[in-house]
Amino acid sequence: PVTYEELDRFFAKEDGEGLKPLCERENYPNKDILEKQGIKFAGIYKLEYNNKIIGIMNFLYSKKDDAKLNNDNFIKILCNQIAVIITNDSLSKEIKLELEKRMQTESELQLFLDTAIDLMVIIGEDDKHIKLNTGWEKTLGWTKEELLGMKWTELIHPEDIKSKEEIVKKLKAEEKIMSFKIRLMCKNGDAKWIQWNSRYLKSRGIAICTGKDITEQHRLEEQRKSYEEAIKLEQIKGEFFSNISHEFKTPLNI
């Protein structure tokens, strides 16, 4: 193995490239063994691409041959073609590796989005769904194919349309992550409360949104409010009857 710096130094020497008697080649690898095998000449040519040496091509001859000695130009052209093939092969492998890494990253990200949140969607300027995760069918009953042919506004509960318009207006004006609650219609006609985190990207004309089904949480909150109001009402009733009782008892005692 040699480094690119060693290759550059080797070919920087005078007459480093070309065909020469093996005996004139100093520090040639396994020179003694090759001479014993009858090798008389060693042709050394650089494999170069975009002015960068990427390797060496060696030609070994057992005896002098004038025809071979006169083929330097042809061999150099051949080496240039080989250098291009090697570089293209190396680049294609790098591209393939990068694509595999990217696909793996996208797969991991999609898995994270599918498991960490209920809903993920990218919405275009026309309110149409551009990209969705797999949680929509589980949460609302709509398939990915059905949703890609629909607009986001078609899913919003009729009573929340006005709120949606105000939210979108604010999103586009501030261009920051915003949180809001809105009801979406299920395929079976039910409605679910969704907690959204959304941001509008003006440069791309899209909104990126992630949502969590908080229907049960919303129901419990409404129950809690009802209980608190009922308790408060009972307290008021208790105080009222206590005061009335006191007012009746005072004159009766006298």
Side-chain angles (χ1 to χ4, degrees), residues 190-202:
D190 294 338
K192 288 192 175 183
W193 281 97
I194 307 296
Q195 175 72 51
W196 291 101
N197 288 314
S198 179
R199 180 170 182 180
Y200 176 71
L201 302 179
K202 187 176 180 180

Side-chain angles (χ1 to χ4, degrees), residues 146-192:
E146 289 172 329
L147 290 167
L148 289 174
M150 298 169 64
K151 290 186 177 182
W152 185 52
T153 46
E154 296 177 51
L155 298 174
I156 298 174
H157 192 283
E159 295 178 8
D160 293 344
I161 293 290
K162 189 174 180 181
S163 300
K164 171 260 177 188
E165 292 173 354
E166 294 174 358
I167 291 165
V168 170
K169 187 177 179 181
K170 195 172 181 181
L171 266 174
K172 291 184 176 182
E174 299 187 16
E175 284 195 74
K176 65 179 183 180
I177 297 175
M178 289 180 57
S179 296
F180 57 92
K181 290 189 290 185
I182 205 166
R183 282 171 290 179
L184 294 186
M185 301 303 298
C186 300
K187 190 174 180 178
N188 63 6
D190 294 338
K192 288 192 175 183

Side-chain angles (χ1 to χ4, degrees), residues 46-147:
K46 57 187 173 184
L47 301 177
E48 189 174 37
Y49 184 83
N50 279 349
N51 297 320
K52 180 180 179 181
I53 300 170
I54 62 171
I56 293 177
M57 180 70 77
N58 291 273
F59 293 89
L60 305 175
Y61 302 106
S62 59
K63 59 182 180 179
K64 187 175 180 180
D65 187 321
D66 291 338
K68 292 173 182 175
L69 289 173
N70 294 329
N71 275 344
D72 268 6
N73 289 335
F74 170 75
I75 291 174
K76 287 179 181 179
I77 293 171
L78 184 64
C79 288
N80 286 336
Q81 293 176 340
I82 292 171
V84 170
I85 293 170
I86 291 172
T87 303
N88 288 343
D89 181 65
S90 177
L91 288 173
S92 66
K93 286 178 181 177
E94 289 178 12
I95 292 170
K96 184 180 179 182
L97 184 62
E98 286 301 317
L99 285 173
E100 288 175 353
K101 287 181 180 178
R102 180 176 176 180
M103 289 175 67
Q104 184 179 357
T105 301
E106 287 183 355
S107 177
E108 290 172 354
L109 177 60
Q110 188 64 48
L111 180 62
F112 170 76
L113 292 173
D114 288 340
T115 54
I117 56 177
D118 294 326
L119 305 176
M120 187 283 290
V121 62
I122 297 177
I123 302 170
E125 286 282 12
D126 55 0
D127 281 340
K128 283 190 175 181
H129 305 110
I130 298 173
K131 189 173 183 179
L132 311 107
N133 70 336
T134 58
W136 286 79
E137 188 168 5
K138 180 181 177 181
T139 306
L140 300 176
W142 301 99
T143 66
K144 187 176 180 180
E145 291 71 24
E146 289 172 329
L147 290 167

